[in-house]
Amino acid sequence: MITCQGKSVFSGVAIGKIFVYKKADNTIEKYQVEDAAAEFERFKAAQAKAITQLQALYEKTCKDIGEEEAMIFEMHQQLLEDLDYVESIQGIIEGEGLNAEYAVFTTAEMFAAMFIAMNDEYMSGRAVDVKDVSERVISILNGTQVAAEAMDEPVIILAEDLAPSETVQFEKDKLLAFVTQKGSANSHTAILARMMNLPSLVTTDIELDPEYNGKMGIVDGFTGKIYIEPDEVIMAEMKEKKKREDERRRMLQTLKGLPTVTKSGKKVHLYANIGGVEDVDAVLANDSEGVGLFRSEFLYLGREDYPTEEEQFEAYKAVLSKMGGKKVIIRTLDIGADKQADYFNIEKEENPALGFRAIRICLERVDMFKTQLRAIYRASAYGKAAIMFPMIISVSEIVRIKEIVEEVKEELRQNDVPFGDVELGIMIETPAAVIISDQLAAHVEFFSIGTNDLTQYTLAIDRQNQALEPFYNAHHEAVLRMIQMTIENAHAHGAWCGICGELGADMELTRRFVQMGIDELSVSPPFTLELRQKIREID
Ligand code: PEP
Ligand code: MG
């Protein structure tokens, strides 16, 4: 048995097989093979595996979203079986004696160039498809496939570190826990783990030994330990611990349906944070009143190009419909800092957390911003949508945002596209926004305090930097006073005020937040019922 220590970012016990995650390596090697026939067979096996994965994706998408959306996976299967495509690969492997990865890569490039040269929008789309499907085959061939379809059963992911763009690629129901060598408690991957209800450890003193793949592991999110090939004593102890935790969670279920009010009758709206449609079931299962933060940028991560208006519309509509009339606050694109997507082509920055990110990008790339706003407004006809804007520092930003919003609404009216009555708010996550919150409040209907960034900017502590954890004090008086000031200024100008940063779920502070007059707390779904219990105990 091997025991390693990390820092827990979410509690719980996970028991299952280990999957050692290697970062996708995009460099394609080119080398001569000795046995070309065997190499072609290696390609055929990867091709067959990719087709099986695509079939599974087709079926899942059909079930979860719809047949039309699933068609893409059927088309990808056809592309993989295309005779010309396979013949080209075979020609490179058997004719030139080269390796399968190189043959697939070269063929994909060739086909993509051919499709693009056709100068036809439909065929240009096929260029993206042929590259996409070829990447799948290459990652199977070189063993770096990250997609959860690659795993047969739910696993404990062991990795050096995980960027949000990598984390979103795993399929939720194939995950038991995350364990990383690096990482920080305030990173988005830690936040995602909490949202997904997965015990997780960061800064873990563990080797990324491929030998661990498939071995039994246990993650104890209470003590921050991971056991590899646990002995019988630990296994029995952990099973018991897991049972107790399951029991505790079952007990919390009795709070479902009860109002979130203090003993003295003060109501607090209890909402949940999500990253996508797949999180809504957990929101409903934990009886949240609504979604207080939909991190829409997750729709933009882990992909090759911008999500289209249609794709976004479908996602927002699905969340709003599933929430059945409960409020859903969609935060507009907050890309940048640790949330990166190459296709944005943002120049490398010295200080990305203080850089070109979030609303700054949206106000410069107005067409892209409008695409998102149009998608949200169109979806607003299917539920109760609200929008909030991240990283605000000035009144002029809100004025400009509102002009753009009005343009979008007018365009929709002109085209007879229905949309709902959408509440507009901003995130308060910069000290500047706190200080001028009296002015800002006059322009919006609500504030949502992003304590993750507000803490980082107030204390000048990079939330990604694990070396700064000893200096990071989430309860720093400066941050708490900022929260107080924001709430007071909101109320003085007729706006409501919530917290959607991780501090909202910090139950040592719940009483203080309630005393400050907080109207709403939005937390990861697994914290909802415990927080309701806490609020109901406050006198
Ligand atoms: C925050 O900064 O507190 C917040 C909720 O936004 P994010 O964590 O996505 O930056
Ligand atoms: Mg933030």
Side-chain angles (χ1 to χ4, degrees):
M1 174 173 86
I2 298 169
T3 308
C4 302
Q5 185 70 48
K7 179 179 158 92
S8 173
V9 294
F10 191 58
S11 63
V13 175
I15 305 177
K17 290 202 178 139
I18 288 177
F19 178 92
V20 182
Y21 166 76
K22 284 199 277 174
K23 284 204 186 296
D25 181 1
N26 295 328
T27 50
I28 304 293
E29 282 189 50
K30 176 183 178 185
Y31 56 88
Q32 292 287 327
V33 292
E34 276 179 18
D35 185 346
E39 188 68 1
F40 184 58
E41 282 310 311
R42 195 165 77 86
F43 160 72
K44 297 279 284 178
Q47 179 201 34
K49 190 166 177 190
I51 289 173
T52 311
Q53 291 175 1
L54 288 163
Q55 180 61 25
L57 277 177
Y58 172 79
E59 284 163 17
K60 186 169 186 311
T61 312
C62 262
K63 193 167 101 264
D64 293 352
I65 308 176
E67 200 172 339
E68 208 178 308
E69 289 75 13
M71 291 301 283
I72 181 82
F73 299 115
E74 196 174 67
M75 201 259 284
H76 276 191
Q77 291 180 60
Q78 286 160 4
L79 263 176
L80 263 187
E81 286 175 314
D82 181 85
L83 279 183
D84 292 335
Y85 177 80
V86 176
E87 266 173 24
S88 162
I89 292 168
Q90 189 168 15
I92 299 171
I93 297 177
E94 294 187 343
E96 302 174 40
L98 290 166
N99 58 313
E101 291 88 342
Y102 178 78
V104 175
F105 175 75
T106 313
T107 300
E109 290 291 310
M110 211 160 66
F111 273 61
M114 196 168 75
F115 290 152
I116 287 169
M118 290 178 183
N119 239 338
D120 171 286
E121 205 179 315
Y122 176 78
M123 292 317 287
S124 299
R126 301 294 70 75
V128 175
D129 290 325
V130 77
K131 281 189 167 185
D132 188 6
V133 83
S134 301
E135 267 172 30
R136 177 181 291 275
V137 178
I138 292 170
S139 60
I140 293 172
L141 283 166
N142 66 19
T144 58
Q145 192 176 41
V146 301
E149 315 99 74
M151 311 167 205
D152 304 327
E153 57 184 286
V155 288
I156 295 169
I157 305 274
L158 202 62
E160 182 192 4
D161 201 1
L162 288 168
S165 57
E166 292 169 304
T167 315
V168 293
Q169 292 185 37
F170 297 115
E171 245 182 78
K172 231 174 105 180
D173 52 9
K174 293 278 176 64
L175 297 172
L176 293 174
F178 290 125
V179 176
T180 57
Q181 291 178 315
K182 297 183 177 164
S184 83
N186 301 298
S187 68
H188 280 94
T189 296
I191 291 172
L192 276 168
R194 291 192 276 269
M195 255 165 16
M196 293 193 269
N197 199 8
L198 300 174
S200 293
L201 318 181
V202 294
T203 56
T204 314
D205 173 21
I206 191 167
E207 266 184 63
L208 281 191
D209 187 343
E211 290 280 304
Y212 293 158
N213 252 325
K215 291 203 165 140
M216 181 53 77
I218 300 179
V219 177
D220 182 348
F222 296 99
T223 60
K225 285 196 165 50
I226 172 167
Y227 304 94
I228 294 163
E229 296 194 308
D231 60 27
E232 279 176 22
V233 179
I234 287 291
M235 181 57 100
E237 195 186 303
M238 289 297 133
K239 278 190 175 160
E240 183 54 35
K241 204 170 194 177
K242 184 164 171 19
K243 212 168 102 193
R244 282 200 306 273
E245 175 61 8
D246 291 347
E247 183 55 28
R248 191 185 71 87
R249 296 220 173 142
R250 244 192 318 277
M251 288 299 291
L252 286 171
Q253 294 287 310
T254 56
L255 289 150
K256 280 169 95 169
L258 296 179
T260 309
V261 285
T262 64
K263 281 189 176 155
S264 37
K266 156 93 178 142
K267 164 107 186 111
V268 179
H269 294 283
L270 196 46
Y271 290 174
N273 296 347
I274 64 166
V277 188
E278 63 285 357
D279 299 323
V280 176
D281 289 343
V283 175
L284 295 171
N286 286 287
D287 198 29
S288 299
E289 259 176 78
V291 169
L293 167 62
F294 178 173
R295 288 183 163 93
S296 71
E297 59 277 6
F298 285 116
L299 301 176
Y300 293 69
L301 297 181
R303 45 185 298 148
E304 304 277 303
D305 207 346
Y306 296 99
T308 60
E309 179 181 323
E310 228 34 53
E311 280 175 278
Q312 292 193 60
F313 164 69
E314 289 297 341
Y316 305 138
K317 177 180 157 196
V319 172
L320 283 157
S321 312
K322 277 182 111 172
M323 287 301 293
K326 291 181 172 175
K327 192 186 286 189
V328 176
I329 304 177
I330 301 167
R331 191 239 328 254
T332 58
L333 179 69
D334 184 18
I335 208 93
D338 62 326
K339 291 175 284 196
Q340 296 286 350
D342 290 346
Y343 60 87
F344 273 81
N345 289 321
I346 292 171
E347 274 190 29
K348 213 152 174 48
E349 298 173 298
E350 281 285 324
N351 286 307
L354 305 178
F356 187 50
R357 56 172 292 197
I359 200 67
R360 300 170 186 175
I361 299 179
C362 291
L363 289 178
E364 284 233 333
R365 301 185 184 181
V366 175
D367 285 346
M368 180 198 72
F369 191 32
K370 278 187 157 180
T371 302
Q372 177 171 39
L373 290 171
R374 242 187 337 264
I376 299 175
Y377 268 94
R378 283 174 53 203
S380 70
Y382 298 85
K384 191 170 177 191
I387 307 180
M388 66 181 174
F389 304 94
M391 291 295 295
I392 295 294
I393 56 168
S394 67
V395 170
S396 61
E397 285 167 339
I398 305 181
V399 171
R400 179 68 189 122
I401 288 167
K402 285 175 121 181
E403 279 169 13
I404 297 171
V405 165
E406 281 312 312
E407 283 168 27
V408 166
K409 284 164 74 175
E410 189 47 36
E411 283 160 23
L412 291 175
R413 276 190 212 105
Q414 300 268 330
N415 291 304
D416 289 328
V417 179
F419 58 87
D421 198 8
V422 179
E423 225 183 339
L424 295 184
I426 55 168
M427 292 198 62
I428 300 288
E429 47 187 351
T430 62
V434 175
I435 307 280
I436 59 163
S437 52
D438 56 336
Q439 295 174 8
L440 296 171
H443 294 264
V444 292
E445 284 154 280
F446 68 96
F447 285 159
S448 187
I449 308 177
T451 51
N452 310 332
D453 277 315
L454 184 59
T455 308
Q456 111 163 316
Y457 297 129
T458 304
L459 305 184
I461 287 185
D462 177 358
R463 63 195 266 197
Q464 293 297 116
N465 188 341
Q466 64 198 68
L468 296 178
E469 296 226 347
F471 300 92
Y472 189 93
N473 172 10
H475 294 193
H476 197 294
E477 193 54 31
V479 177
L480 296 176
R481 286 194 203 177
M482 290 221 177
I483 294 172
Q484 170 100 58
M485 183 173 171
T486 306
I487 297 172
E488 281 168 10
N489 280 332
H491 290 169
H493 294 86
W496 62 264
C497 185
I499 296 177
C500 64
E502 297 294 288
L503 210 58
D506 187 328
M507 293 181 215
E508 285 176 33
L509 293 173
T510 311
R511 170 179 286 273
R512 184 135 180 210
F513 292 149
V514 171
Q515 277 167 348
M516 288 179 185
I518 201 75
D519 300 296
E520 175 244 23
L521 291 170
S522 188
V523 299
S524 294
F527 293 129
T528 318
L529 291 171
E530 203 173 338
L531 189 54
R532 172 171 296 161
Q533 187 175 38
K534 185 87 198 166
I535 292 170
R536 288 172 60 85
E537 282 164 11
I538 294 175
D539 201 340

